Amino acid sequence: MSAILALAAFIAVIVVWNLAFRRNIAESMFVGFLACTAFAGLDAPALAWQSLIEGMKSEVTYAALTFVFVSELLTRIGLIGRLIDILSSLLGRRRGGALYAATVGSGAFGAVAHNGAAIAATIGSIAIPWMKRSKTSGDTAALVISGNAGVGAVFPFSGAFFLLLAAPTVAPVLNADQMIVPMFVVAAWTVVMRLGIAYVIVRRRGVDRMDPGDVHPLAATLRAGWPSLLVLAAVALPILATAGAGAQWVVGRIGEDAADTIPVLFWLPIFMLVVGVIVGWRRLPRRTGEWWAMLGEISPKFAVVGLTMVSAFAASAALSTLGLGEQLAPLIERMQGVPTPVVVVVVGLVVLLVSGPLSTTATIAAVGSVGFLALTSAGVEPHLAYAALIVWASAEGCSPPGAAPLYVAAGIAGSDPVKIFRPVIGYYLVPSFVAGIVVALSLLWIPF
């Protein structure tokens, strides 16, 4: 039972350290890892060292750090602003156009940035003034921005995406390459769901068309912003080269052995970075001092992400060495008689309750491993269990009272956050719960 107790200690320490002591998730994960290795007794120092080496060798750690830099750079070159302008040209003349543009814009920015508070701040600073000029109340504007803030965590390459892959119950079953395409599809479904929610809000709350002064001709916004679309297109190239018919084409040209050496997690950020630098060349720092200043601003995020990922993989390796798989086998057998829908609903409720006070990343760190085991033991396909957990955990913007994006959006809109608690639960939290159930029960098309 030592490995099971170590897993329980790992989870408990993360929650207490992050919530009670208000320390960041990276520090909480590392302390949780140390607590986990303590169950090896006198062998704890050796186990900790060996596990840390394994954590630092993971290509997922490299990918997570690289995507932090890429997302920061793409944000600074104005990618999102140009995309929002194009979206407003396409949707602004429709009733509720500002809400639709904010919803799609949150998805587009989320595919790059992934951070809920950053999505709320960036999209909110642009879209909330638009919505107000469309006869939308500040409360409604903040509601839409906070409800959409969590979508970034569902897209591949978010912190939650990488962290769940490192969970001790997930790592032996799934890898990053297997989950990239399914999670892009799931993320697209969540954006479509939010567009449906926006439609309901527009009808119920009397939202009008965007102010004509905020809507520019489509030809003008495309002329100014079409290069920014190339950055999003760059994501598709490595994926198409390593999946489906594209992978077969590559194998036919360069051979199976060569194709197997193309790590998609290595090439994706490089493609995005190269295209982003070309597109935003004029807005890049010009002097060495400016580059150092930018790196100085980004470096704290590198430290948090790096320590989080190393700690996660190290804990996974330590728990595996302690015999977690063997010790969990009897528990898995006992859960096989429970109906799958019941397990899915219970796990979803637990994840939502935990996501109330915690961020998406901290939620996955705390209950992702156990939730994945419970779902797969009940018969849920591993890739669907993985996706459902992230959909539930991504409700960080609509899980009051601890939803940081909600307070960011309310601050921009000049609204009382408490007035948004009830509607954000009804419009966004409950649908997110249902969406996770739909994903887990395979009621939507999700490729694998």
Side-chain angles (χ1 to χ4, degrees):
M1 291 293 288
S2 61
I4 295 176
L5 293 175
L7 176 62
F10 180 61
I11 295 169
V13 169
I14 290 171
V15 173
V16 171
W17 212 261
N18 183 251
L19 203 57
F21 297 140
R22 300 186 180 277
R23 308 300 297 178
N24 65 51
I25 186 61
E27 183 180 316
S28 303
M29 291 283 292
F30 185 73
V31 175
F33 158 67
L34 294 178
C36 171
T37 59
F39 284 81
L42 296 176
D43 295 328
L47 177 62
W49 178 251
Q50 293 169 3
S51 300
L52 279 174
I53 296 299
E54 289 296 317
M56 288 186 284
K57 287 164 57 178
S58 170
E59 71 171 14
V60 176
T61 301
Y62 150 80
L65 291 170
T66 307
F67 276 108
V68 169
F69 177 75
V70 172
S71 66
E72 285 288 332
L73 192 66
L74 295 183
T75 301
R76 289 168 184 267
I77 64 176
L79 167 73
I80 303 306
R82 297 176 192 176
L83 289 176
I84 291 288
D85 287 340
I86 294 173
L87 289 172
S88 68
S89 298
L90 289 169
L91 303 171
R93 292 177 177 82
R94 294 178 56 87
R95 181 185 174 190
L99 272 69
Y100 298 128
T103 301
V104 178
S106 295
F109 186 48
V112 176
H114 308 297
N115 182 279
I119 293 172
T122 303
I123 302 299
S125 63
I126 300 171
I128 286 176
W130 284 356
M131 286 188 265
K132 284 189 169 183
R133 292 177 66 176
S134 305
K135 299 180 181 178
T136 305
S137 69
D139 291 350
T140 299
L143 164 67
V144 171
I145 295 299
S146 62
N148 288 319
V151 70
V154 185
F155 279 94
F157 322 125
S158 67
F161 175 88
F162 290 120
L163 193 58
L164 189 54
L165 286 172
T169 56
V170 179
V173 182
L174 296 173
N175 60 53
D177 290 355
Q178 291 175 309
M179 291 310 303
I180 290 173
V181 174
M183 288 311 300
F184 267 118
V185 173
V186 171
W189 280 123
T190 61
V191 173
V192 170
M193 176 193 76
R194 285 170 165 81
L195 284 172
I197 294 170
Y199 177 85
V200 173
I201 293 174
V202 168
R203 293 301 183 272
R204 286 188 175 181
R205 299 203 166 201
V207 180
D208 207 342
R209 292 173 177 80
M210 288 178 65
D211 188 285
D214 294 326
V215 183
H216 303 290
L218 180 59
T221 55
L222 279 175
R223 187 166 53 249
W226 71 265
S228 63
L229 300 175
L230 297 176
V231 178
L232 299 181
V235 175
L237 292 178
I239 294 175
L240 292 175
T242 54
Q248 295 175 7
W249 185 88
V250 170
V251 169
R253 296 299 184 278
I254 65 176
E256 187 170 353
D257 291 340
D260 288 340
T261 65
I262 302 177
V264 67
L265 281 183
F266 177 81
W267 288 110
L268 263 170
I270 291 177
F271 270 72
M272 293 178 68
L273 182 61
V274 170
V275 176
V277 167
I278 294 172
V279 169
W281 179 256
R282 295 181 180 179
R283 303 190 67 172
L284 291 173
R286 297 299 180 191
R287 301 176 181 176
T288 303
E290 294 173 347
W291 277 104
W292 277 112
M294 184 184 75
L295 291 173
E297 294 173 7
I298 300 175
S299 57
K301 296 183 180 181
F302 276 118
V304 170
V305 172
L307 184 57
T308 298
M309 298 312 304
V310 169
S311 299
F313 277 101
S316 179
L319 289 168
S320 178
T321 302
L322 289 170
L324 182 64
E326 296 84 351
Q327 294 177 26
L328 285 174
L331 298 179
I332 294 173
E333 293 176 1
R334 294 178 188 175
M335 296 178 62
Q336 290 178 349
V338 181
T340 300
V342 174
V343 176
V344 169
V345 170
V346 171
V347 172
L349 287 173
V350 170
V351 175
L352 286 184
L353 288 172
V354 174
S355 71
L358 298 179
S359 67
T360 300
T361 306
T363 299
I364 290 296
V367 296
S369 182
V370 175
F372 182 84
L373 175 63
L375 292 173
T376 52
S377 300
V380 178
E381 291 294 325
H383 70 290
L384 298 179
Y386 177 100
L389 286 167
I390 292 184
V391 169
W392 287 322
S394 70
E396 63 170 306
C398 49
S399 299
L406 188 152
Y407 295 99
V408 172
I412 296 172
S415 300
D416 181 358
V418 177
K419 293 183 179 179
I420 307 170
F421 284 2
R422 185 174 177 181
V424 83
I425 291 173
Y427 281 113
Y428 289 99
L429 185 61
V430 173
S432 295
F433 172 60
V434 174
I437 294 174
V438 168
V439 169
L441 296 179
S442 191
L443 300 180
L444 284 174
W445 175 77
I446 299 171
F448 184 67

